[in-house]
Amino acid sequence: MALILGHFGRIGRLSLRVSDKTLKVFREFGLMLFLIGAGVEGGVELVSQIQASQYGAMLLLYGFLGGAVMTIVPMFVGFFVAKKMLKMSLLNNLGSITGGMTSTPALGTLIGVSGTDDVASAYAATYPVALVLVVLASQLIAVLI
């Protein structure tokens, strides 16, 4: 029903059109709720794991450092390979990196900063591959541990 009403845009005299400003507010609000939900769940689990471990502070420190290295190194390598070897433009390069990170908030920021939706095509090309590889890598890590 929403698709049909959205297509016609009105019910009698009542307009169903929403301004771009209102859509942006709802998009940001939805993203905020998602991040709050993920953060609260992750924080509760993190605190319980640290309290249960005898190496709590070291676990936190090594987990943070390991996560930072695992996040930053592939992004830098991907950026320089795409820039030097593949000769990609900056926007396509950054769009590909955000797709590889499977980070939709980063895509939204990149679109807002660049002022163009062109980066979304590079994001869309790398996102599905990265999503499948993240699932496979997590399963492999779980088997190895």
Side-chain angles (χ1 to χ4, degrees):
M1 192 65 193
L3 291 173
I4 293 170
L5 291 174
H7 171 72
F8 292 112
R10 337 186 50 79
I11 299 177
R13 293 184 180 183
L14 177 65
S15 175
L16 300 175
R17 299 287 178 203
V18 179
S19 70
D20 288 338
K21 187 176 181 180
T22 305
L23 285 176
K24 185 176 180 180
V25 168
F26 278 111
R27 187 179 318 130
E28 295 296 325
F29 182 67
L31 181 59
M32 181 183 66
L33 289 177
F34 168 74
L35 292 174
I36 287 171
V40 168
E41 283 183 33
V44 168
E45 183 66 26
L46 176 67
V47 169
S48 68
Q49 290 294 324
I50 289 172
Q51 288 175 343
S53 173
Q54 63 181 355
Y55 304 107
M58 294 307 290
L59 181 68
L60 185 63
L61 177 66
Y62 288 144
F64 175 77
L65 292 176
V69 168
M70 287 174 33
T71 302
I72 293 171
V73 170
M75 286 189 340
F76 277 122
V77 170
F79 179 82
F80 286 114
V81 165
K83 182 178 181 178
K84 299 294 183 188
M85 296 174 73
L86 302 176
K87 307 279 193 248
M88 289 175 63
S89 70
L90 178 63
L91 292 179
N92 279 338
N93 195 348
L94 294 176
S96 296
I97 289 172
T98 57
M101 292 171 22
T102 64
S103 177
T104 306
L107 174 66
T109 301
L110 189 56
I111 289 172
V113 169
S114 68
T116 180
D117 289 336
D118 293 342
V119 295
S121 61
Y123 175 88
T126 56
Y127 181 84
V129 175
L131 195 60
V132 169
L133 290 178
V134 163
V135 170
L136 293 177
S138 66
Q139 294 298 316
L140 180 66
I141 290 170
V143 167
L144 292 176
I145 291 178

